[in-house]
Amino acid sequence: AIDYDGKTYTADVAVPSLPALHAVFKRGELAIFGAFTIPAGGGALTYNDGLPYLIPLITFVKDPTGPTPKDGVFSGSSIFYGVTVGAAYRLFGKLSVAVAGRAVLANKAFSGHATYGDVKAELDTTKQAMGFAPILGLTIKPGFGVTLAARYEGAAAMEFTAKTKTVNMKGAADWQGTALESFVDGAKEQRDMPATLGLGAAWTGKGITVSTSFHAYMTKAADSAKDYAGVPGTGGLGAYSKSWDDDYEDGWDVALAVEYQVTDALLLSTGAVRASLGGSKDTLNDFEQALDSDSVCGGVRYTLNKRLKLTAAVSRTFYKDDSNEALVPLVYPSPETYRKRVFDLAVGVQYSF
C-alpha cells in the first residue's frame, strides 16, 4: 500500500504460482544439472484507485480539461524467466567445482488510465530484454559434518526495449528527457541484473542440520547511466533515474535455517532471512520499492519411498515501512509512505530415477 497526502492506495496482488523445475544427472564424480526458475520478479498488482504519480502525469496528457485525475487505475507486473545448465565435478572426495550459465528472459508490463476533466488518458507499455550470466561454484567438505560453499554469478547485461500504446497523451518528443523517456515506443534502456556473491556453511549431526548463508548483490556496479537531477533551482522538477537509481547501495541478505529428521520419513525445518536491497528514501517511488525485510518460514518433507519425496512450506515476509522525500516539491509536495506484507505457500516433489 502507498500512503500519500492523507489517502491510501491499496494494491490487489495476484501471484498464483511461481514454478521451478530442477534436474540432475550423476555418474561417478560428474554431475550435469539444469533448472528452470524465476530468478527475479514474478508478481503482478493492480491499484484500483490509481497511483499518486497520476497527479503530475497531467504534464503528458493531451489537452486536459481538469487538473485532478479521477477514475484512475494502474497495474504492473514483472517476471524474469531463467534457464540454467551446468556441470559439477568432485575432486579428492572433499572438493567439488561447478560451472554453469543462465539465460534470462525478462518481461515488464505497465498499464493504466485516468480521466482529467473529460479527457481519458491511457498508457499500455511492455518492456522486454534477454541476458546471460556465467556462474561458478565451489563446495568443500572438510569433515566433522561441515560443508562450506561459495557461488559467484556474473552480471547479466539486459537491454530493455519498450512497446507502447497511448490514448490522449502527447507524442514521444514530449517524453524525451523526462521520467517517461524509457516508456517511448521503441525506447531502449540498459538495466543489468547485478552480479551476486553467495557464501554458505552447514553442519550435520545426529539428525540435525544447521545452515547459514550470505548473499551480496553488486547493484552499484550494474548501474550503467547517470541520473538526471532535474531543472536547476526547481527542487528536482523533471528529475528521473536512468538504469539503476544512482542512490542505490549494494544489497545483501543473510539467512539461518535448522532441519530436524524426526523419523526416517519425516523431516521438519524452519528458518529466517534478513534482507536489505540497497534502497532508501531517495530510490523509493510508485514504480520501484526496494524495502528492507525480515522473513520467517517453516517446512516439512515426507519420504514416501526411496524414490519419491514430498515437500511443503510456508513463509511470511515483513517489510520495513519507509517513506521517500517530496519528489518534486512544486507539484508533488508530500512524501509517500510504502507498506508491504507477503505470505507464501510452496509445495514440491522430488523424484529419483
Side-chain angles (χ1 to χ4, degrees):
I2 302 174
D3 297 324
Y4 174 72
D5 200 23
K7 181 178 179 179
T8 297
Y9 298 79
T10 302
D12 293 330
V13 181
V15 188
S17 65
L18 293 177
L21 178 64
H22 300 262
V24 179
F25 173 79
K26 185 176 182 299
R27 175 159 292 180
E29 306 300 315
L30 176 67
I32 299 173
F33 56 88
F36 170 80
T37 58
I38 310 295
L45 50 79
T46 299
Y47 289 90
N48 289 311
D49 294 321
L51 288 172
Y53 188 75
L54 293 178
I55 299 171
L57 192 66
I58 191 174
T59 306
F60 303 96
V61 177
K62 186 184 299 182
D63 301 322
T65 58
T68 304
K70 59 182 181 180
D71 302 325
V73 175
F74 183 87
S75 62
S77 65
S78 173
I79 189 165
F80 288 59
Y81 301 100
V83 176
T84 305
V85 177
Y89 193 82
R90 183 167 59 187
L91 301 167
F92 316 119
K94 296 181 180 294
L95 171 69
S96 66
V97 294
V99 178
R102 174 185 289 153
V104 180
L105 172 63
N107 187 85
K108 301 179 181 180
F110 309 88
S111 64
H113 62 79
T115 302
Y116 300 83
D118 57 4
V119 176
K120 184 177 181 180
E122 301 179 30
L123 170 69
D124 189 349
T125 298
T126 60
K127 297 181 179 181
Q128 292 186 327
M130 293 186 67
F132 177 83
I135 303 172
L136 299 175
L138 177 69
T139 301
I140 302 174
K141 292 187 175 183
F144 307 102
V146 175
T147 301
L148 304 175
R151 176 180 64 89
Y152 177 77
E153 182 174 334
M158 306 286 286
E159 184 181 64
F160 287 86
T161 301
K163 294 183 179 180
T164 297
K165 296 180 181 179
T166 65
V167 175
N168 289 327
M169 297 189 69
K170 295 178 181 178
D174 294 289
W175 297 22
Q176 298 293 340
T178 74
L180 290 184
E181 183 176 66
S182 67
F183 287 76
V184 173
D185 188 42
K188 297 185 182 298
E189 178 187 31
Q190 191 74 30
R191 188 179 168 102
D192 299 345
M193 291 183 68
T196 303
L197 174 65
L199 302 173
W203 173 81
T204 300
K206 297 183 179 180
I208 296 178
T209 298
V210 180
S211 59
T212 185
S213 67
F214 172 81
H215 291 92
Y217 304 99
M218 304 170 195
T219 307
K220 293 182 72 67
D223 185 12
S224 59
K226 186 70 175 175
D227 294 347
Y228 175 59
V231 179
T234 65
L237 182 64
Y240 66 100
S241 61
K242 296 184 176 183
S243 185
W244 290 88
D245 193 306
D246 291 349
D247 293 305
Y248 266 106
E249 299 295 334
D250 289 338
W252 56 268
D253 66 51
V254 60
L256 177 67
V258 178
E259 295 180 346
Y260 178 59
Q261 192 76 48
V262 182
T263 68
D264 290 342
L266 179 64
L267 180 142
L268 301 179
S269 64
T270 186
V273 180
R274 169 158 289 187
S276 176
L277 300 182
S280 68
K281 61 182 178 61
D282 297 314
T283 66
L284 294 170
N285 59 65
D286 290 357
F287 303 101
E288 191 162 325
Q289 299 142 30
L291 301 172
D292 293 351
S293 65
D294 291 289
S295 302
V296 292
C297 62
V300 57
R301 186 184 72 191
Y302 192 80
T303 302
L304 293 177
N305 53 55
K306 65 179 182 179
R307 294 186 180 277
L308 181 61
K309 299 177 181 179
L310 305 178
T311 61
V314 295
S315 71
R316 179 72 166 173
T317 301
F318 303 89
Y319 291 85
K320 180 183 177 182
D321 296 352
D322 206 352
S323 301
N324 57 19
E325 293 184 336
L327 298 182
V328 185
L330 293 178
V331 295
Y332 217 167
S334 301
E336 297 170 306
T337 298
Y338 302 92
R339 298 181 287 109
K340 187 178 180 181
R341 303 289 186 271
V342 172
F343 175 81
D344 293 303
L345 173 65
V347 294
V349 177
Q350 180 178 330
Y351 189 81
S352 300
F353 294 94

